[in-house]
Amino acid sequence: MTKASSAVVVGAGIAGLATALRLRARGYEVDVYDPASHPGGKLGVWTSKGYRFDTGPSLFTLPQLVDQTLEESGCNPRDYIRYHRHDSACTYFWEDGTELIASGELDEFCKAAAEKLGSTTERIKEYFSEAQRMYDTTKGVFLEKSLHRWQTYLSKDVLKAIPSLPTLGLFSTLHERNLSFFGQENPKLVQLFDRFATYNGSSPYLTPGIMQMICHLEHNIGTYYPEGGMHAIPQALYRAGKDKGVRFHLGTAVQRILVNGNTAEGVELVDGSVRKADVVVSNVDVRTSYRKLLTDLKTPKNVERQKPSSSAIIFYWGVGKKYPKLDLHNIFFSDDYREEFDCVFEKKQLHHDPTIYINITSRVDPKDAPEGKDNWFVMVNAPADSGQDWEELVKKERGFILSKLSRMLGEDIEQWIETEDVLTPPLIERRTSSQGGALYGSSSNERMAAFFRHANFHSSISNLFFCGGSVHPGGGIPLCLQSASITANLL
Ligand SMILES: Cc1cc2nc3c(=O)[nH]c(=O)nc-3n(C[C@H](O)[C@H](O)[C@H](O)COP(=O)(O)OP(=O)(O)OC[C@H]3O[C@@H](n4cnc5c(N)ncnc54)[C@H](O)[C@@H]3O)c2cc1C
């Protein structure tokens, strides 16, 4: 570049922040716009009565991708973020009283899981080796490069992966794969590994078996907690961006991406002013990008036909008591997992016996709750919004959750709730523009979902790009960071 080229990034979600930082490192003058008053999109914060809650993501895997983003932008990661590996990946509870503390150490986990849930230590280890093989074989193809450029298919990663294709679980569902691995006689083990489908907002009864690789990230690579909470992740990228000269315009929405023929010329802001740019990157949900910001362009068929990932109902409860058996991540399983997913994905309703995830960050950082108390982030799977009566559904579901937890923890929980807020799919959509409040963009409930996801670039507008959870390679913090890397490399 002779004269510095200019780039506009629309949206300061995790992928928008990472893309801005990477473009700045490549010499671009970068402006980022977002209507929200804070950076980070879905990674928000709520505080009340001495309790602090991360409102969005709670599980942090592959922290090295945050470090990589900072390092490749010329920053020392440790000047911006510190994180620690958490000893226990999750504590699991079943209605019949079975409990499992899932150690973050693989050997320990396999031994305890075999003792409590059946099968053998060796068989469970074999399952993880298989998951690792899948991850190692495919990450260079599916996660680190654009799937929509022919050059990708000539890379050595692809050529290496081709012979393994029939063994990558593409032709069975995750549940079928888990069932054939552990057998009907070990339903709790099958359920535990089925759960990893929810890490990208899918159903284990529909998503392909290749999703087995997700458990490798949690147990082989580990789960981490950033000092200061999940919100510290976007804050780190935001601060680094500011230090490197990225210009952030929070509280400023983009109204339109300006396109002239085959060129994106910049953006029009809500006040009608125009910001010209050589490159435009949209971090806004791709369907919303086409419907609201690129109204002169046709929404691609793939984008129209893709189904949203699951959404969630989250209660933020300040709980005036500590339950010693609870840890940072806790799961209370449904007794009928298949019916629960049917309910969410087919009937598009909430289930009366939901699997409940409780995240309690005050177990790691005591400052997040008053002494002797805990901050509960209580989440159940929900369908994306398609016009359901959420007020009624939330009221009913709150009752189901309270009675299940009270039953499983042995006392009335409601009496301890000191402060409360709730997040619903329509609220997620209102706050971040994600279609229907989907957590992870589109679902991976189809075998070829990865190929249907929108590319990180526009097929005919050469300087228009896309990053974030609704485009390649998908949702969740690690994949969003990968999408920023792929997008920046495409430029
Ligand atoms: C409740 C919840 C729990 C989750 N749990 C996890 C988890 O445990 N682990 C994990 O890895 N992932 C989790 N996820 C998913 C993860 O949060 C997302 O995949 C990721 O944060 C999406 O980031 P993104 O960059 O695509 O942008 P988003 O966070 O969706 O942000 C998009 C940004 O675009 C902005 N925007 C919208 N319209 C405009 C406009 N017109 N002009 C300018 N800007 C605009 C929005 O304000 C927003 O800031 C969870 C999500 C939610 C909601």
Side-chain angles (χ1 to χ4, degrees):
M1 263 177 295
T2 45
K3 178 178 164 286
S5 299
S6 57
V8 161
V9 178
V10 187
I14 192 78
L17 293 167
T19 305
L21 197 49
R22 284 178 176 280
L23 293 188
R24 184 73 192 124
R26 284 164 164 75
Y28 284 83
E29 292 289 335
V30 185
D31 286 274
V32 181
Y33 294 92
D34 198 302
S37 56
H38 67 274
K42 294 190 173 73
L43 289 105
V45 178
W46 180 62
T47 53
S48 167
K49 298 185 180 169
Y51 294 93
R52 190 200 73 87
F53 299 88
D54 282 306
T55 55
S58 52
L59 182 71
F60 184 31
T61 52
L62 293 176
Q64 62 268 35
L65 295 177
V66 177
D67 288 357
Q68 223 172 63
T69 305
L70 289 165
E71 269 161 13
E72 290 176 12
S73 309
C75 301
N76 174 4
R78 293 297 78 75
D79 290 343
Y80 294 94
I81 188 165
R82 289 177 185 275
Y83 49 79
H84 308 280
R85 188 166 174 161
H86 193 61
D87 290 343
S88 147
C90 190
T91 306
Y92 293 100
F93 299 85
W94 280 268
E95 285 272 5
D96 66 0
T98 307
E99 291 175 14
L100 175 72
I101 297 173
S103 166
E105 285 306 314
L106 188 67
D107 286 352
E108 229 175 279
F109 169 77
C110 294
K111 189 164 168 278
E115 269 164 26
K116 295 256 175 148
L117 311 181
S119 191
T120 62
T121 308
E122 291 66 38
R123 187 74 179 141
I124 301 172
K125 273 191 195 165
E126 226 176 281
Y127 183 86
F128 278 109
S129 304
E130 198 45 23
Q132 175 161 9
R133 182 187 65 82
M134 286 169 154
Y135 179 72
D136 291 343
T137 310
T138 54
K139 77 173 164 116
V141 185
F142 286 100
L143 306 182
E144 292 171 356
K145 295 194 183 76
S146 172
L147 278 185
H148 306 82
R149 290 257 154 132
W150 60 264
Q151 292 94 325
T152 299
Y153 297 91
L154 296 180
S155 72
K156 73 176 187 323
D157 288 329
V158 172
L159 298 176
K160 238 167 60 192
I162 287 170
S164 311
L165 278 178
T167 65
L168 289 178
L170 288 168
F171 304 102
S172 56
T173 66
L174 179 64
H175 175 73
E176 284 162 358
R177 197 163 170 92
N178 292 339
L179 196 62
S180 75
F181 215 93
F182 296 116
Q184 302 268 17
E185 63 282 15
N186 297 310
K188 290 193 176 83
L189 208 47
V190 172
Q191 188 175 28
L192 190 151
F193 286 109
D194 278 358
R195 182 178 89 84
F196 288 97
T198 63
Y199 282 34
N200 63 16
S202 306
S203 161
Y205 304 97
L206 299 169
T207 201
I210 192 169
M211 296 302 164
Q212 179 179 345
M213 74 167 101
I214 299 174
C215 71
H216 163 67
L217 302 183
E218 180 156 315
H219 286 276
N220 278 351
I221 298 182
T223 61
Y224 293 79
Y225 187 75
E227 285 180 11
M230 298 297 284
H231 190 56
I233 306 170
Q235 281 297 338
L237 301 183
Y238 175 62
R239 280 195 301 118
K242 284 218 297 201
D243 288 350
K244 290 289 175 189
V246 174
R247 294 183 292 248
F248 290 98
H249 309 270
L250 298 178
T252 309
V254 165
Q255 181 143 286
R256 226 155 42 98
I257 295 173
L258 302 169
V259 174
N260 188 2
N262 289 340
T263 309
E265 296 195 318
V267 294
E268 182 186 308
L269 307 177
V270 270
D271 65 3
S273 61
V274 166
R275 165 84 209 175
K276 293 269 185 186
D278 300 312
V279 165
V280 178
V281 182
S282 181
N283 172 222
V284 180
D285 180 288
V286 69
R287 213 186 293 204
T288 310
S289 292
Y290 278 103
R291 287 193 181 160
K292 300 218 167 129
L293 305 179
L294 290 161
T295 45
D296 292 340
L297 301 184
K298 230 175 141 202
T299 307
K301 280 206 182 80
N302 277 353
V303 173
E304 287 291 5
R305 70 176 283 282
Q306 274 196 315
K307 301 210 172 103
S309 80
S310 60
S311 185
I313 302 284
I314 297 125
F315 293 97
Y316 308 97
W317 287 337
V319 175
K321 175 174 175 170
K322 277 192 182 295
Y323 288 84
K325 53 165 85 166
L326 299 182
D327 193 18
L328 176 62
H329 303 289
N330 310 274
I331 290 283
F332 293 77
F333 271 121
S334 168
D335 252 356
D336 195 336
Y337 218 33
R338 185 181 284 274
E339 201 183 87
E340 182 184 358
F341 282 96
D342 242 37
C343 198
V344 170
F345 285 100
E346 305 299 330
K347 301 195 185 101
K348 309 214 183 309
Q349 291 296 321
L350 299 179
H351 195 234
H352 61 88
D353 175 22
T355 296
I356 304 166
Y357 166 68
I358 307 183
N359 174 244
I360 309 177
T361 62
S362 51
R363 288 308 166 101
V364 177
D365 188 348
K367 289 195 299 303
D368 284 354
E371 205 178 331
K373 304 178 178 185
D374 270 333
N375 62 342
W376 288 23
F377 163 111
V378 181
M379 176 161 103
V380 296
N381 293 319
D385 180 33
S386 53
Q388 298 89 332
D389 180 349
W390 290 104
E391 206 178 315
E392 185 58 27
L393 287 177
V394 166
K395 204 162 106 198
K396 263 176 63 193
E397 197 68 1
R398 185 179 185 278
F400 293 138
I401 293 172
L402 281 170
S403 76
K404 184 175 174 91
L405 292 178
S406 300
R407 198 164 64 232
M408 293 176 79
L409 288 171
E411 75 164 339
D412 170 33
I413 301 295
E414 193 170 15
Q415 60 174 321
W416 297 108
I417 300 177
E418 295 183 347
T419 185
E420 173 167 7
D421 198 11
V422 61
L423 186 63
T424 59
L427 264 179
I428 297 173
E429 173 157 9
R430 206 172 313 147
R431 288 182 190 166
T432 63
S433 297
S434 91
Q435 193 75 38
L439 305 190
Y440 299 96
S442 53
S443 80
S444 298
N445 281 337
E446 288 172 73
R447 193 181 306 152
M448 302 306 276
F451 295 92
F452 295 143
R453 210 165 271 128
H454 196 287
N456 302 93
F457 57 91
H458 189 274
S459 55
S460 56
I461 299 169
S462 61
N463 60 342
L464 176 59
F465 297 86
F466 301 89
C467 66
S470 62
V471 296
H472 178 69
I477 297 168
L479 296 195
C480 286
L481 292 171
Q482 291 285 20
S483 90
S485 162
I486 295 169
T487 303
N489 287 337
L490 285 171
L491 274 144

